[in-house]
Amino acid sequence: MKDVPLIRFCQHRPLFVVLLGAILIVVFKAVVQGAGMEDNFISMGNDDIMRLVMVRDWLAGQSWFDTTQYRLMPPEGMLIHWSRYIDAGIAAFIVPFSYFMPMEKAELVGAAIWPTVILILTLLVVGFGTKRIFGPISACFAVLCTVLWPLLGDLHMRAGNLDHHNVQILMMVILVYAVVWPDRPVAAGIIGGLAAAFALSTGLESLLFIVGAGILVFGRCVFDQRIETQRLLVAFCLALAAGSLLFWLGLTAPALRTRPVCDQLGTPMLSVIAVAVVAALAPLALRGRFPSAVFQVGATFALTGIGLAIAWPLLGPCIRGPYGDLPPELQEMIATRVTEAKPFLIYVQTQLFAALAFMIPVVVALVSGSVLWWSRRGGSGTGQTQNAVLGQLLLLGFFGIGLIFLQMRTVILVASVVPAIGGICLAVLLKAYLQTRSLATAALIFIVAIGIAAPQILLNPLQPFLQGSVTQREGATCRNYETLLALNDIPPAVIMNSTNMGAPLLWVTHHSTLAAPYHRSPDAFMNGALGFDLEETAFEKLAREQGATHVLLCAGQTYVSEFLTGLAAGEVSVAWLLPVPLRNDEQLLFALQD
């Protein structure tokens, strides 16, 4: 091979330079975003804001095991199915800062630091993991793909992102590298199993991706019957089972441990894990007598079927998913209005620009990675080992594509393999270019790099044509911090409000709310969404039944209900709603009259 100076340079630990640059970029963006966090945070998603409210309540004395939000649907409140482990991580940054600044400022500093730390950890895992398997050049490109791709660097890991998705991405990245690790199978299996278990303890969105990773580990053990693959499978299964049990015990109050829940780590999920572990490991005991791969697979399928049948009393109610018990009209509303819950084919019809920004890197990485894998098949030595690992990454990527068609938000799981695949493809292309100086190869590097790391460069000029008319977010005109703060001028009230106002009200004000987008309370979900579709008589009945003392509208906002639209425009007045004077023009508050 021709001795190229750039290649010699790339062999002298350039990863540290790239990582340092990427981390500096991340920190700089966090500082800029954090400087205006008070205004920025109120524009975050409902889950980010509600997470900070939950952390605040816990630090104020609410029990570790009590995740009820008592100001949502008072007086009983609403149980939020979220992990206290995430709350503890965020609080670990808030508490130290609260010693020398007001708690309100400390909360915002913690909200800026937490996702920044998660992104830096993700960069470190991607960088050093890719370097260990594919070399430093691939690692450099993988780090750049991670920090530049908006899905990772902005959407889920920018300052203020307190939802658990960024932690799940980090756990899936760790899981992926553990699954494909070429040596040290016991350590890799334990790390991968614990990462999968912790991901499940934060939310079940990663379940099917973990199943795919487990199938990959099982398949390696069955069709590559070395002691290393067997050790990997055993370590992974035992760590997953033990970790899930321990994390579950740490999350669930003793009195609730026998209660089956389908939307978080509970007895139904533990039974699934137990069945999978037994079905995967039991046939290994007979491998000496029945070494056939057909026997191994058949026995595992049979044991899985038997185990699921035994566990069916726990699993049966969960088959319909977390929304299965909701009223049909609410299920339809979630499927058509809640962006992240939409299947890909529905999402792309209304969010074409965003869908392309999310999917172009995935498609480009999988296509270029598949071409590279095909061209290198049948080789030997280190290159063949790397190609085998690349093949496993591609399998996980294509498996993830199937999940995206079920729900668009699962694109975060596929994000765990895209940087590594992109890194090795770009490294191979760079090496080819330095050897040949081909303009075609240079153009291909540019296309692949832009497609994987920065699709927005291509999409931004086309945004007006792809995105069409932009629908104003409900509550956007009256959802800023200062406007909401003005509501504290009146005594604590129980407010009927639209969905996107619920979490901000809880964070900024001392009021209670009757609406927020969480499925454990169908009433809270319907109050803020379908409730604001109702006309006067039905809306009055709903507000009184739910115990509202006040109704909050955004001035000039268009609602589905003609009655509420007219009320918000000041064109309608009714005797049962008394206007309450506010020191802002963005909101209209009404007190219910008898």
Side-chain angles (χ1 to χ4, degrees), residues 66 82 87 113 157 159 201 367 472 518 566 585:
D66 184 7
W82 286 351
D87 295 349
I113 294 178
M157 296 189 183
S201 76
V367 171
Q472 185 185 39
Y518 303 107
D585 298 325

Side-chain angles (χ1 to χ4, degrees), residues 39 47 69 268 414 485:
D39 293 327
D47 289 354
Q69 179 45 244
V414 189
L485 197 62

Side-chain angles (χ1 to χ4, degrees), residues 268 271-272 275 306-317:
S271 68
V272 170
V275 169
I306 294 171
L308 292 179
I310 295 173
W312 188 253
L314 282 175
L315 300 179

Side-chain angles (χ1 to χ4, degrees), residues 418-437:
V418 168
I421 296 173
I424 187 174
C425 291
L426 289 170
V428 169
L429 288 172
L430 176 62
K431 182 178 178 181
Y433 171 75
L434 293 174
Q435 291 175 333
T436 63
R437 306 292 178 175

Side-chain angles (χ1 to χ4, degrees), residues 168 200 203-212 269 272-273 413:
Q168 285 192 325
L200 292 175
L204 299 186
E205 295 93 338
S206 57
L207 172 62
L208 293 179
F209 191 82
I210 293 172
V211 170
M269 184 52 53
V272 170
I273 293 171
L413 306 177

Side-chain angles (χ1 to χ4, degrees), residues 427-581:
V428 169
L429 288 172
L430 176 62
K431 182 178 178 181
Y433 171 75
L434 293 174
Q435 291 175 333
T436 63
R437 306 292 178 175
S438 167
L439 291 179
T441 304
L444 191 56
I445 291 175
F446 177 80
I447 293 172
V448 173
I450 295 299
I452 294 176
Q456 65 273 20
I457 293 177
L458 301 176
L459 292 174
N460 284 345
L462 303 175
Q463 184 170 2
F465 306 100
L466 296 175
Q467 187 162 305
S469 59
V470 179
T471 301
Q472 185 185 39
R473 181 176 181 174
E474 187 177 16
T477 59
C478 60
R479 202 175 182 245
N480 66 74
Y481 186 87
E482 291 299 328
T483 300
L484 288 168
L485 197 62
L487 293 173
N488 285 334
D489 291 346
I490 66 170
V494 179
I495 297 178
M496 175 71 81
N497 51 266
S498 57
T499 300
N500 286 323
M501 296 295 291
L505 275 171
L506 294 177
W507 177 52
V508 179
T509 77
H510 54 220
H511 301 298
S512 298
T513 176
L514 293 171
Y518 303 107
H519 65 268
R520 280 202 172 180
S521 174
D523 285 346
F525 218 137
M526 294 185 70
N527 288 344
L530 300 181
F532 279 65
D533 295 354
L534 302 176
E535 297 304 328
E536 180 182 353
T537 302
F539 183 80
E540 179 184 5
K541 179 182 178 182
L542 177 66
R544 294 190 185 281
E545 288 177 347
Q546 295 298 315
T549 62
H550 291 73
V551 173
L552 179 66
L553 300 176
C554 295
Q557 179 76 36
T558 299
Y559 297 94
V560 174
S561 167
E562 293 183 3
F563 161 67
L564 293 178
T565 299
L567 200 62
E571 300 171 352
V572 174
S573 62
V574 290
W576 62 277
L577 286 177
L578 177 66
V580 177

Side-chain angles (χ1 to χ4, degrees), residues 322-331 334 518-522 525:
Y323 305 139
D325 293 330
L326 298 179
E329 62 271 23
L330 185 54
Q331 293 187 46
I334 292 173
Y518 303 107
H519 65 268
R520 280 202 172 180
S521 174
F525 218 137

Side-chain angles (χ1 to χ4, degrees), residues 98-112:
S98 70
Y99 294 144
F100 54 87
M101 64 175 62
M103 176 58 81
E104 292 78 8
K105 294 294 183 183
E107 287 179 349
L108 296 174
V109 171

